[in-house]
């Protein structure tokens, strides 16, 4: 078993399409304090290819990408402060 | 304030921008911009500010929509002929974005009403077409400490500058006084290209959005000119705030607002500006 990561909040972006996928994740991250952890549920395919990269570009830390084995993934992200 | 899924989609292209982001969009939704003049400059500016989600937009104009307006005042349509411009503008803005609260002021701005008009707004956009109004807006905004965008257009040329009282020169620091009233043609006499008015009005909207979101550099202390015939933009560095300026200087001589006389051919019965 991998080490346990405490998730502070979750957001589901499987109900929206690009570019709102990233926007919805960005809005959810905005609600958190620096250092808190967000779990983002997203669809396989385009979201899983682009959303993690966009979030990394914003300076946040990608902790994990979990395959839910149902066509969705959970991306675990630690929020970084503003530069 | 939390965004709805619909708002996230509507404003997605803003939110994705690092320089605007979630915070910037929230600032826009909480902001109040007053547009004076629903004409060639105010029309495109109002449409873009409404689309951008500026939460409260005031629009002041005493006129009704006239057939000769439609060549450039794209917020009004043929079906609006005869309708007060502020109502036509309000309908167009609300149709674009129901998030926007539109306040209408169907009146000419004068020394006696302008302070009340600008009081509740964060940023003012001068979309008027005459010097008396431009000097009145400048002086009122300087006295009230309100940032504003000045712009002027004629024929194929346009110019704009942004004034933040106390931070840079005001319009009067640069242009001193209105020219003699018979010395200047207005766009009514001289003509103007609609798309060129659109360029300048959109630049004013950009300045308002940048001011509200704190993004980039404003045209404070600079005058941007555009010549549509040669397709040349020039950014002219202006001298610093003039210590002898009659309104924003160290010993201002203008302490009361002035209603300058409008050029005769622009005079309309009942019009005070
Ligand atoms: Zn001045």
């Amino acid at each position: 078993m991998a080490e346990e990561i405490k998730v502070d909040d979750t957001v589901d972006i499987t109900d929206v399409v690009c570019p709102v996928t990233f926007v919805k994740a960005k809005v959810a991250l905005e609600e958190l304090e620096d250092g808190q952890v967000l779990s983002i549920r997203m669809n396989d395919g385009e979201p899983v290819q682009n959303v993690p990269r966009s979030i990394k570009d914003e300076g946040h830390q990608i902790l994990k990408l979990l395959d839910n084995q149902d066509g969705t993934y959970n991306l675990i992200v630690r929020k970084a402060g503003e530069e | 304030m939390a965004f709805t899924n619909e708002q996230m989609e509507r404003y997605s292209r803003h939110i994705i921008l690092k320089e605007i982001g979630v915070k910037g969009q929230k600032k826009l939704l909480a902001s109040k911009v007053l547009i004076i003049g629903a004409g060639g400059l105010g029309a495109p500016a109002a449409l873009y500010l409404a689309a951008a989600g500026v939460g409260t937009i005031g629009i002041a104009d005493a006129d009704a929509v006239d057939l000769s307006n439609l060549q450039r005042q794209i917020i009004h349509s043929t079906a609006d002929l005869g309708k007060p411009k502020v109502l036509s503008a309000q309908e167009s803005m609300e149709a674009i974005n129901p998030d926007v609260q539109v306040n209408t002021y169907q009146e000419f701005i004068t020394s006696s009403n302008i302070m009340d008009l600008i009081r509740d707004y964060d940023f003012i956009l001068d979309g008027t077409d005459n010097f008396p109004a431009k000097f009145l807006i400048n002086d009122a905004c300087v006295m009230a400490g309100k940032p504003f965008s000045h712009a002027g257009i004629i024929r194929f040329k346009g110019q704009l500058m942004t004034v933040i009282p106390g931070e840079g020169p005001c319009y009067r620091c640069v242009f001193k006084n209105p020219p003699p009233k018979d010395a200047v043609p207005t766009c009514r006499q001289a003509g103007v290209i609609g798309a060129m008015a659109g360029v300048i009005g959109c630049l004013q909207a950009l300045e308002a959005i940048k001011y509200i979101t704190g993004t980039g550099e404003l045209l404070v202390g600079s005058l941007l000119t555009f010549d549509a015939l040669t397709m040349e933009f020039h950014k002219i560095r202006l001298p610093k705030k003039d210590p002898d300026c009659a309104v924003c200087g160290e010993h201002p001589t203008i302490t009361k607002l002035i209603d300058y006389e409008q050029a005769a051919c622009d005079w309309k019965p009942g019009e005070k500006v």
Side-chain angles (χ1 to χ4, degrees), chain B residues 172-188:
Chain B
R172 200 181 274 279
C173 286
V174 184
F175 296 99
K176 311 298 174 200
N177 282 298
K181 62 180 166 129
D182 46 6
V184 278
T186 68
C187 76
R188 281 178 219 182

Side-chain angles (χ1 to χ4, degrees), chain B residues 100-112:
Chain B
V100 179
Q101 158 74 38
V102 179
N103 300 329
T104 60
Y105 308 98
Q106 196 189 341
E107 50 198 308
F108 288 103
I109 55 150
T110 66
S111 61
S112 49

Side-chain angles (χ1 to χ4, degrees), chain B residues 83-96:
Chain B
K83 191 185 280 183
K85 280 187 180 179
V86 290
L87 293 184
S88 160
Q90 178 181 34
E91 288 168 9
S92 300
M93 285 189 271
E94 287 174 351
I96 288 179

